[in-house]
Amino acid sequence: MKLSTHISRALPFIALLASPIYVIAILAAFTRVPPELLQASSGYAESARFLDRNDQLLREMRAGDMARASWVSLDDAGENVQLAILAAEDQRFEFHGGVDPIAVVRAVLGDLYARKITSGASTLTMQLARLVRPHPRNLIGKIGEAALAVKIESYLDKKQILAEYINRAPFGPNLRGIDAASRFYFDKPPRELSLAEAATLAAIPRGPEVYALDKHADRALRRRDRILKRMRDAGTISEDAFYRARHEPLFVQKHTATFGAPHLVEALARGELDPSLPAMRSGVTHTTISNELQGEAEQAALLSIRSLAKKNVTAASVLVVDNASGDVLAYVGSPDYFDAKNGGQNDGVRARRQPGSTLKPFLYGLAMERLGFTAATALPDIAIELPLLTGAYEPMNYDERFHGPVRLREALANSYNVPAIWTATQLGTGVLLDRLHDLGMGSLTEAPDYYGPALALGDGEVTLLELTNAYATIARGGVWKPVRFTADSPGSQHSRDIDSRRSSRDPARRVMPTTVANMLADILKDKNARLASFGERSVLELPFEVAAKTGTSKGFRDNWTVGFTRDVTVGVWVGNFDGSA
């Protein structure tokens, strides 16, 4: 039989094999590349991961599709991951243009023989196409997938395609991408995966349920070994590396969910802390929190509240600020976030409350500047009557006694009310209010007449955040600086209602003279000066030197203590979120 006869008989068969390729090529010309693939990570829904100052995970908020997901570059994914993924999904990835002709011919022949679709001939690029544009699993869908893969190959290089795939591939329920899988199963970033671990994860996308490590580890290990064998046979790993990886035991360290600093994390996620901090709903946020200190503060708040249960105390908040940097080291909005009965989701750090006597140091510091007072200045602690628009005001001390002339040192240390009111009348409420604004207390938004001289006794509302940072100003020798919640923020302070001169974007600035700040600190450290009110063994006496001041609001609704050392300032509020006494 002539050669031409053989060729003529084979032509229909050749045409049959080639027809899908022609169809795919034509369709590819009219197919658009999904816009989310045209720029790395564009349109990629990430989890929001919040880390402490030492890169420990505080909390991960899942993406909109409820998946854990975080974009990583190929360099951050590591070589082991790249080699394992290619061995598992597409060994000829570097040599095809989106569709592997060898695989297509094999699939067509197999499907014709079986009279049904038995093999899809999917390349890694085709799988990427299916991930970004899901389609029915039929012949028409498969052809459209192949056309999109060809189009993708014409726009993206191989490294871009691989990066898109490893970040979009499913690795289990609510796990999208290699970074989420690596951290969930092995509690480490993908770059640190061993060869065996990388091959184990590479086995999962083929069937996340079939190869689930918590349910079907035996299947995953068998597929891992096949992937390792492919890598060895392709020459991408040595025989020795293959042997060691194959005999490495599977040790899954499933990452348990963490819920650190919940009030701070949620405020950051919603963009509520400061206008300069946008809502952080995706990506990685490096906070200033110390996870260890945060845990200790949360535990201390919870234990303290339990001990005060008989006094109708159900809530407490704690803030710890590093004096030098302004970094927030611990942020406890409530003792128990999940205590719905007592309003555990309320954030006591940012709630406005009457601060009681905690404002007195700033009053006396201002009097030292403006009126020439010293710690030895004698102040009247006698019955006085002040005419106000609402009637006569007769201030009284908490012990309902007068102590005659008292030195400023004792008046502040023992928190006497009458000398503070008298001093406020000498200064003027407006002057005191301006000083409190300079210290960042933007919650005091009313005019001076609204507060009157009782502002000296805390007759206004501030937040624990504002108050603690004001005390940190004393600790710094009179220099105010904005607190910082994230490592990248220039500074932030809960002071939206202050005018632009005192906004959260202000750099560090001097608010009071160093000599005044140092004198206030000396008085607040003086345990002998507060003997009349606190006695010999008070709760303010600690194993180290600390300057501290307490305050209680009207009707015993709010109890405060703020203290500082050279290094840190700690503010504590105790009360009830419903306002009960």
Side-chain angles (χ1 to χ4, degrees):
M1 187 178 292
K2 294 182 179 180
L3 178 61
S4 58
T5 303
H6 288 291
I7 293 175
S8 62
R9 291 180 177 178
L11 282 176
F13 183 67
I14 295 172
L16 178 64
L17 292 178
S19 59
I21 298 176
Y22 290 129
V23 172
I24 290 169
I26 294 171
L27 287 176
F30 296 95
T31 300
R32 294 181 58 188
V33 177
E36 59 265 38
L37 296 182
L38 295 179
Q39 184 177 353
S41 75
S42 174
Y44 183 81
E46 287 190 275
S47 303
R49 300 180 69 247
F50 295 87
L51 310 180
D52 86 333
R53 64 193 301 110
N54 299 311
D55 291 335
Q56 294 184 35
L57 182 66
L58 292 173
R59 184 176 173 188
E60 181 173 5
M61 292 183 171
R62 298 184 183 186
D65 60 357
M66 297 307 296
R68 291 185 174 95
S70 184
W71 184 273
V72 290
S73 66
L74 287 183
D75 286 341
D76 289 334
E79 185 179 20
N80 285 342
V81 166
Q82 296 178 53
L83 294 176
I85 289 290
L86 291 177
E89 301 297 339
D90 195 346
Q91 292 178 278
R92 289 186 291 272
F93 177 66
E94 296 292 339
F95 306 106
H96 62 67
V99 176
D100 185 352
I102 298 175
V104 169
V105 171
R106 185 185 67 241
V108 169
L109 291 175
D111 293 348
L112 288 174
Y113 180 80
R115 296 185 180 182
K116 63 179 180 178
I117 297 177
T118 59
S119 175
S122 289
T123 63
L124 186 143
T125 315
M126 291 171 67
Q127 293 180 57
L128 174 61
R130 184 166 64 249
L131 288 171
V132 295
R133 291 295 182 268
H135 60 77
R137 289 182 174 273
N138 54 33
L139 182 58
I140 294 176
K142 201 67 177 179
I143 291 175
E145 174 189 301
L148 179 53
V150 171
K151 194 71 171 185
I152 291 172
E153 289 272 354
S154 68
Y155 274 81
L156 305 182
D157 62 35
K158 292 292 185 179
K159 287 186 176 181
Q160 291 173 314
I161 293 170
L162 180 57
E164 291 284 348
Y165 176 80
I166 66 171
N167 282 289
R168 297 179 186 275
F171 285 85
N174 301 319
L175 289 175
R176 175 160 39 83
I178 190 66
D179 186 76
S182 179
R183 295 180 188 278
F184 181 76
Y185 287 117
F186 297 111
D187 199 19
K188 65 175 69 172
R191 191 178 182 87
E192 297 179 9
L193 292 171
S194 69
L195 181 59
E197 290 169 339
T200 301
L201 293 183
I204 297 176
R206 178 66 61 89
E209 287 294 330
V210 175
Y211 300 107
L213 297 185
D214 55 345
K215 298 177 182 178
H216 307 295
D218 54 335
R219 297 177 187 172
L221 285 175
R222 288 196 297 269
R223 179 157 164 75
R224 177 201 72 176
D225 292 345
R226 290 197 298 271
I227 292 169
L228 291 170
K229 185 175 183 298
R230 289 179 185 177
M231 296 169 74
R232 182 200 62 185
D233 294 345
T236 55
I237 62 172
S238 65
E239 183 70 36
D240 182 59
F242 166 73
Y243 179 83
R244 284 186 282 107
R246 189 178 182 185
H247 289 85
E248 181 177 312
L250 177 63
F251 185 59
V252 175
Q253 288 183 297
K254 245 182 150 176
H255 175 71
T256 55
T258 57
F259 204 74
H263 297 85
L264 173 64
V265 166
E266 294 203 354
L268 287 172
R270 292 193 293 260
E272 294 178 348
L273 284 175
D274 190 271
S276 66
L277 295 175
M280 300 170 185
R281 300 184 185 278
S282 64
V284 178
T285 298
H286 296 268
T287 73
T288 57
I289 292 293
S290 165
N291 197 30
E292 181 179 2
L293 182 60
Q294 175 72 23
E296 292 180 2
E298 290 175 353
Q299 185 71 4
L302 188 60
L303 292 175
S304 295
I305 292 308
R306 288 175 179 172
S307 70
L308 295 170
K310 293 182 179 180
K311 299 181 182 294
N312 190 39
V313 174
T314 61
S317 301
V318 182
L319 188 73
V320 182
V321 175
D322 178 79
N323 295 333
S325 64
D327 287 357
V328 172
L329 303 178
Y331 186 117
V332 182
S334 74
D336 184 356
Y337 182 88
F338 298 103
D339 183 4
K341 178 182 177 181
N342 295 306
Q345 294 189 23
N346 288 319
D347 186 352
V349 172
R350 294 185 294 132
R352 297 183 179 189
R353 298 282 188 174
Q354 288 191 342
S357 297
T358 57
L359 298 186
K360 288 175 181 174
F362 310 112
L363 166 74
Y364 288 120
L366 193 57
M368 291 177 186
E369 292 179 51
R370 302 291 181 90
L371 304 178
F373 286 12
T374 68
T377 297
L379 303 176
D381 187 4
I382 57 177
I384 58 176
E385 182 176 300
L386 302 175
L388 299 176
L389 295 177
T390 56
Y393 172 45
E394 299 180 12
M396 180 59 65
N397 293 317
Y398 69 93
D399 60 1
E400 299 183 349
R401 294 169 50 202
F402 298 109
H403 306 90
V406 294
R407 295 190 306 166
L408 185 153
R409 178 179 291 273
E410 281 74 30
L412 174 56
N414 292 287
S415 203
Y416 295 146
N417 291 339
V418 176
I421 291 292
W422 182 86
T423 302
T425 61
Q426 306 305 303
L427 282 168
T429 305
V431 175
L432 174 59
L433 186 59
D434 283 343
R435 171 52 54 89
L436 297 178
H437 282 169
D438 285 335
L439 288 162
M441 298 189 198
S443 295
L444 297 168
T445 58
E446 303 295 339
D449 289 344
Y450 176 85
Y451 302 109
L455 179 62
L457 306 184
D459 195 4
E461 292 184 333
V462 302
T463 69
L464 182 62
L465 177 59
E466 294 167 339
L467 187 64
T468 303
N469 199 32
Y471 272 80
T473 302
I474 301 176
R476 297 187 196 105
V479 175
W480 180 93
K481 62 171 54 182
V483 296
R484 287 163 33 101
F485 302 102
T486 68
D488 299 326
S489 64
S492 49
Q493 169 70 8
H494 189 57
S495 53
R496 294 183 178 85
D497 300 319
I498 308 176
D499 62 33
S500 59
R501 290 183 301 104
R502 306 185 181 106
S503 76
S504 63
R505 294 179 177 83
D506 282 352
R509 62 181 186 274
R510 180 163 293 283
V511 175
M512 65 181 72
T514 303
T515 53
V516 170
N518 290 344
M519 181 53 64
L520 291 175
D522 183 71
I523 294 172
L524 297 176
K525 293 175 185 176
D526 190 347
K527 65 178 182 179
N528 293 320
R530 57 178 175 247
L531 282 175
S533 292
F534 289 87
E536 283 283 351
R537 297 179 179 179
S538 79
V539 293
L540 297 182
E541 291 184 32
L542 299 171
F544 48 88
E545 189 175 62
V546 60
K549 184 71 183 74
T550 63
T552 305
S553 68
K554 293 179 182 178
F556 301 97
R557 289 180 172 82
D558 306 281
N559 188 264
W560 309 72
T561 304
V562 188
F564 59 85
T565 65
R566 182 189 299 267
D567 298 320
V568 297
T569 298
V570 181
V572 180
W573 167 85
V574 167
N576 300 296
F577 287 127
D578 64 5
S580 59

